[in-house]
Amino acid sequence: MNAFSHPAAVAPTIGYASDERALIPPAVKPRKTGTRRRLALGRAIPFGALIGPALLIVVWSIGSVAGLIDPRTLPAPWSVVGTAVDLIAEGKLQGHLMTSAWRAAQGLVFGVLIGSVLALISGLSRLGEAIIDGPVQIKRAIPTLALIPLLMLWFGIGEGMKVTTIALAVLIPIYIQTHSSLRSIDSRYVELAQTLRMGYGEFIREVILPGALPGFFLGLRFAVTYAWLSLVVVEQVNATSGIGYMIDLARNYGQTDIVIVGLVLYALLGLASDGIVSFFQERSLSWRRTLAD
Amino acid sequence: MASHLGGLSGAPVVRVESLIRSFGPRTILDGLSLDIDKGEFVALLGRSGSGKSTLLRALADLDDKVSGSGRLETPDKKSVVFQDARLLPWKRVLENVMLGLNLPDAAKRGRAALEEVGLGGRENAWPVELSGGEQQRVALARSLVRDPELLLADEPFGALDALTRLRMHDLLRQLCARHQPAVLLVTHDVDEAVTLADRVLVLDKGGIVADIAIDIPTPRDHGDRRFGEIRSELLRHLGVETKPVLPV
Ligand SMILES: Nc1ncnc2c1ncn2[C@@H]1O[C@H](COP(=O)(O)OP(=O)(O)OP(=O)(O)O)[C@@H](O)[C@H]1O
Ligand SMILES: [Mg+2]
């Protein structure tokens, strides 16, 4: 077992590796241990995540300057920035942004709460699973978009409908990931809890919740994306404010630059919220050692 | 070690009578009986698959899904050390030691226990940051911090290298001398059993086939003649024939 886990250490003494080496005089081909390829990833590139997007903007700028890109198809980066500045000066952008962010936040909070509670109930009891898991799987099979007509009939076209749609979309990944992470908690830890005579409350607190946390965070990262996604849909279907409404209006008037501003805003919101989630994810899961470390 | 030969003291802490445990049609423990006295250190040997873990799990109340019958008396205060250290990876070392310990001075006791196993100062480390031997020492601290009357250990040193294992033997001996729990140590290692235990049992075909009191004063020397005799006798019970080798 040890011999297999350290192949390099035993190579000079056993197996065909030593036969091969015997044919090559060590002076001719010295073994360079420093250049051996490592299986783990190397050190992280500083600000590596920004390199790709920066490259895109460079290409976009060059294309605009050189006249390769028609401004009606895609306005130059600086004219998009100019439009954004104007919109901010008029106070429109902030207003739409606040409305959208508030909707997404509400939907996210409700969806995450409901999804987690359902996952816990269904993960911790057979009866809970029998009652909850089926309906959630059915909901999962129906695209959120397809539910909107029904939700409009039930909740009207106000904020309630929008928040409900977002919450319903968010609930699914939270439920699925938390539930599966909870169910895959090593049974040896359950045994341990039993031998340590933990009470049920302590068992949930010390074993179940921390054990399910990796899944919860994975679900949360999906959930944030889903929240923005369904926000776009509900705002474009029926709204009188919000970024989606702004984009839809701009489309009617052929204002590509405003459409782009809206899209950039969505991208920033998505990235920022994902960043926030992964920040908390790393902090709460600092006990793990993975390939990325 | 507080040796306790002969088992002369009062009521035993562990009492097993006609214990039967089976998995489907296969009966693993077949009418097994066993007593362990207060503070007695018992080592359990047996071939792989002979049912050592099955017995230990029965004593640890971990076999609620196994069918069987028999009478089992064990103390309430008992701890288990597994072959893997089984630390919760999301809890720091001290928190792992304190798990399930609902006492006002739990933290103080936890620190003291870590100090005892030589890990004072590592309270805030994550389990992944410890070596295998250190993790197993944390597991020992976690067991002893609850002052068990019975310590059940299933090959606790099986995954450690030979040198670390010897260190752990010394540590375990000291800890047992201080805390005086009754111990049932399951092991594959005959020398380990003879070095540590007051009494060595061999499990085979569902029952105890040998029960040998170790009458060698501690600390015990592997080269000792009596040590060699006991070792050969145990090996014979384990189905390994040994030529009488001269002591080295
Ligand atoms: N959960 C189980 N389901 C079915 N059979 C089992 C189960 N656990 C153990 N057994 C069987 O019971 C027998 C005894 O197992 P046990 O784990 O007690 O052996 P052991 O003496 O501890 O062996 P080892 O020294 O290899 O750990 C084995 O033949 C094993 O296959
Ligand atoms: Mg075993």
Side-chain angles (χ1 to χ4, degrees):
Chain A
M1 162 85 209
N2 273 333
F4 288 111
S5 51
H6 301 291
V10 295
T13 51
I14 60 155
Y16 63 83
S18 63
D19 301 341
E20 270 183 8
R21 282 165 56 90
L23 302 176
I24 307 163
V28 175
K29 199 179 174 187
R31 196 193 194 111
K32 281 193 257 168
T33 43
T35 55
R36 277 248 316 281
R37 188 175 155 70
R38 299 206 183 166
L39 294 177
L41 299 180
R43 206 174 289 197
I45 302 172
F47 303 106
L50 295 180
I51 294 175
L55 222 59
L56 266 181
I57 291 178
V58 168
V59 171
W60 179 11
S61 306
I62 293 173
S64 301
V65 172
L68 296 173
I69 303 174
D70 184 348
R72 279 167 305 177
T73 314
L74 187 62
W78 40 91
S79 68
V80 172
V81 172
T83 309
V85 171
D86 292 346
L87 285 170
I88 292 171
E90 293 165 36
K92 277 185 189 163
L93 202 62
Q94 299 93 308
H96 289 308
L97 177 64
M98 284 313 293
T99 314
S100 289
W102 177 233
R103 279 175 193 147
Q106 279 176 295
L108 200 61
V109 167
F110 286 122
V112 168
L113 280 180
I114 298 169
S116 318
V117 170
L118 290 182
L120 282 181
I121 297 173
S122 145
L124 291 172
S125 92
R126 298 273 176 211
L127 181 66
E129 182 173 36
I131 295 171
I132 292 169
D133 201 57
V136 175
Q137 299 296 343
I138 292 171
K139 161 68 189 70
R140 181 157 89 120
I142 304 172
T144 305
L145 199 61
L147 275 178
I148 291 180
L150 186 64
L151 291 173
M152 278 163 85
L153 288 176
W154 285 356
F155 298 101
I157 54 168
E159 291 302 298
M161 180 277 283
K162 297 186 180 70
V163 171
T164 309
T165 310
I166 296 169
L168 280 174
V170 160
L171 175 163
I172 299 300
I174 292 280
Y175 173 89
I176 302 284
Q177 302 296 342
T178 309
H179 182 264
S180 96
S181 175
L182 194 158
R183 277 294 167 92
S184 57
I185 290 174
D186 200 326
S187 69
R188 295 174 318 144
Y189 296 142
V190 182
E191 241 174 52
L192 176 74
Q194 216 173 316
T195 63
L196 295 177
R197 295 174 172 264
M198 283 189 196
Y200 194 64
E202 192 181 6
F203 171 60
I204 303 272
R205 202 170 61 243
E206 310 286 14
V207 180
I208 293 294
L209 294 183
L213 209 56
F216 171 79
F217 272 114
L218 186 61
L220 192 56
R221 292 186 75 168
F222 283 114
V224 168
T225 314
Y226 286 17
W228 294 120
L229 216 75
S230 16
L231 181 79
V232 175
V233 173
V234 288
E235 284 189 340
Q236 296 195 357
V237 166
N238 200 309
T240 51
S241 59
I243 306 167
Y245 168 73
M246 182 183 85
I247 292 177
D248 205 42
L249 204 65
R251 179 185 55 86
N252 285 336
Y253 296 106
Q255 298 162 310
T256 320
D257 48 348
I258 296 186
V259 174
I260 303 281
V261 169
L263 291 180
V264 171
L265 211 53
Y266 274 139
L268 290 178
L269 286 171
L271 286 175
S273 45
D274 190 59
I276 292 170
V277 174
S278 64
F279 171 76
F280 283 107
Q281 182 178 27
E282 262 164 42
R283 284 204 34 185
S284 347
L285 303 181
S286 53
W287 48 271
R288 294 203 300 186
R289 290 286 177 283
T290 56
L291 186 66
D293 294 320
Chain B
M1 184 162 66
S3 219
H4 178 93
L5 304 179
L8 293 170
S9 74
V13 282
V14 174
R15 178 158 255 172
V16 180
E17 265 173 48
S18 340
L19 188 71
I20 296 179
R21 287 289 183 272
S22 36
F23 295 105
R26 298 177 54 215
T27 302
I28 305 301
L29 301 179
D30 194 2
L32 181 141
S33 296
L34 164 72
D35 282 359
I36 300 177
D37 284 343
K38 201 160 176 294
E40 190 183 22
F41 195 129
V42 176
L44 180 65
L45 291 167
R47 274 187 283 218
S48 181
S50 57
K52 304 182 296 293
S53 299
T54 307
L55 173 60
L56 190 118
R57 293 172 63 82
L59 293 173
D61 305 324
L62 285 176
D63 63 346
D64 41 301
K65 285 175 189 148
V66 186
S67 65
S69 64
R71 224 162 71 95
L72 257 181
E73 274 174 38
T74 56
D76 270 346
K77 290 178 76 173
K78 59 190 167 202
S79 301
V80 184
V81 184
F82 301 92
Q83 180 169 4
D84 57 313
R86 214 166 284 201
L87 305 178
L88 295 179
W90 48 80
K91 294 258 156 208
R92 290 174 191 273
V93 163
L94 180 62
E95 294 168 325
N96 260 293
V97 172
M98 287 162 50
L99 279 175
L101 200 64
N102 300 313
L103 297 169
D105 60 343
K108 202 172 130 245
R109 282 159 170 264
R111 279 175 214 285
L114 281 171
E115 198 71 54
E116 264 194 309
V117 298
L119 287 174
R122 303 301 300 276
E123 287 87 356
N124 286 324
W126 294 111
V128 281
E129 294 168 353
L130 301 184
S131 74
E134 288 169 336
Q135 292 184 16
Q136 202 53 282
R137 279 191 273 160
V138 176
L140 263 182
R142 181 179 60 197
S143 301
L144 290 169
V145 77
R146 353 191 143 241
D147 275 324
E149 283 175 61
L150 174 63
L151 180 65
L152 299 163
D154 195 349
E155 299 184 39
F157 313 132
L160 304 180
D161 65 275
L163 204 62
T164 312
R165 201 180 311 170
L166 290 180
R167 294 232 177 106
M168 294 293 283
H169 289 167
D170 285 340
L171 179 64
L172 184 62
R173 225 195 323 245
Q174 288 167 20
L175 292 172
C176 288
R178 201 170 312 149
H179 296 267
Q180 299 270 324
V183 181
L184 182 67
L185 171 76
V186 167
T187 175
H188 269 130
D189 183 343
V190 177
D191 283 2
E192 177 171 293
V194 180
T195 308
L196 291 172
D198 300 324
R199 192 150 68 97
V200 181
L201 311 174
V202 177
L203 181 64
D204 195 22
K205 300 195 180 68
I208 307 285
V209 295
D211 183 342
I212 299 172
I214 309 297
D215 48 2
I216 308 172
T218 54
R220 291 167 185 163
D221 176 9
H222 290 203
D224 187 85
R225 196 181 52 81
R226 182 75 188 117
F227 198 110
E229 286 170 12
I230 295 176
R231 183 199 285 132
S232 322
E233 190 180 350
L234 287 169
L235 285 172
R236 196 155 34 76
H237 283 295
L238 290 165
V240 184
E241 288 303 331
T242 48
K243 292 194 196 102
V245 185
L246 292 173
V248 268

